[in-house]
Amino acid sequence: MIRRTLLLCLVAIAAIASLPTQVAAFSNAPARGASRQLKGASSPSARATTGTSQTALYAVKKATKKAAAKKKSSKKSAAKEEVVNFKKAEFVSAVAEKTGMTKAESDLALAAVLNVIVTEVADGKRINLPGFGTFKLNFRAARKGRNPATGEEIDIKASFSPSFSASKTFKEICNPDR
């Protein structure tokens, strides 16, 4: 029963991912925090009080940045579409509808599939789902870094991180105009 449920869930995931209207929900979101100020950096008002020549330079820089940002945002808004969040409850409902299972069974199947993916990838195995993508574990070597607030050099420990790479089919569905 569980094997059948897992198989149906995987089929449902692949079917949902192949729908062009649903794929938009999984597309990359635009970079966040591009205009955020870094921790420890002085504010514009603090910089403006340091002197009139710096104030004039700051005003020129700010005006050129605004003009450049305005050009970029007009280009982005024309090409950028609103990203719609596809929540877990909606996903479970869609799986239940596609497979004919109840929502509770679909939720259990999804939980089982995700649990298998997490445990197998954490054990170092690569999971390949043809037509969807590959889950794997990447190793990050130990390295030196810097504390941005103090400039002090710090040691960053070696670690493992899970990753997903989409299959060629999935990428083609996401980019139909190419």
Side-chain angles (χ1 to χ4, degrees), residues 5-7 9-10 13 108-118 129:
T5 306
L6 287 173
L7 182 61
C9 188
L10 287 174
I13 289 171
L108 285 173
L110 177 62
V113 168
L114 295 178
N115 186 20
V116 168
I117 291 172
V118 168
L129 301 173

Side-chain angles (χ1 to χ4, degrees), residues 9-154:
C9 188
L10 287 174
V11 169
I13 289 171
I16 290 171
S18 68
L19 295 174
T21 56
Q22 301 301 331
V23 172
F26 300 112
S27 65
N28 290 336
R32 289 180 150 184
S35 63
R36 288 176 48 191
Q37 187 175 354
L38 294 176
K39 220 178 204 183
S42 61
S43 66
S45 60
R47 285 183 286 203
T49 58
T50 59
T52 55
S53 64
Q54 286 184 343
T55 305
L57 288 176
Y58 176 73
V60 170
K61 284 182 184 178
K62 190 173 181 180
T64 56
K65 282 184 181 179
K66 277 187 178 180
K70 197 172 192 180
K71 285 181 183 178
K72 285 183 182 178
S73 67
S74 64
K75 287 179 184 177
K76 282 184 182 178
S77 64
K80 185 174 94 172
E81 294 180 16
E82 180 100 12
V83 175
V84 178
N85 289 331
F86 194 64
K87 297 185 175 138
K88 182 183 175 187
E90 296 168 344
F91 185 78
V92 168
S93 295
V95 169
E97 191 176 307
K98 292 272 186 188
T99 61
M101 297 188 309
T102 64
K103 288 183 182 179
E105 290 172 340
S106 298
D107 193 24
L108 285 173
L110 177 62
V113 168
L114 295 178
N115 186 20
V116 168
I117 291 172
V118 168
T119 55
E120 296 302 318
V121 170
D123 288 342
K125 295 180 183 173
R126 175 180 275 184
I127 298 176
N128 185 21
L129 301 173
F132 186 68
T134 303
F135 295 92
K136 63 181 179 177
L137 196 63
N138 287 338
F139 177 73
R140 291 184 184 168
R143 61 194 187 278
K144 299 281 185 184
R146 292 213 177 262
N147 181 342
T150 63
E152 177 187 355
E153 191 172 270
I154 57 174

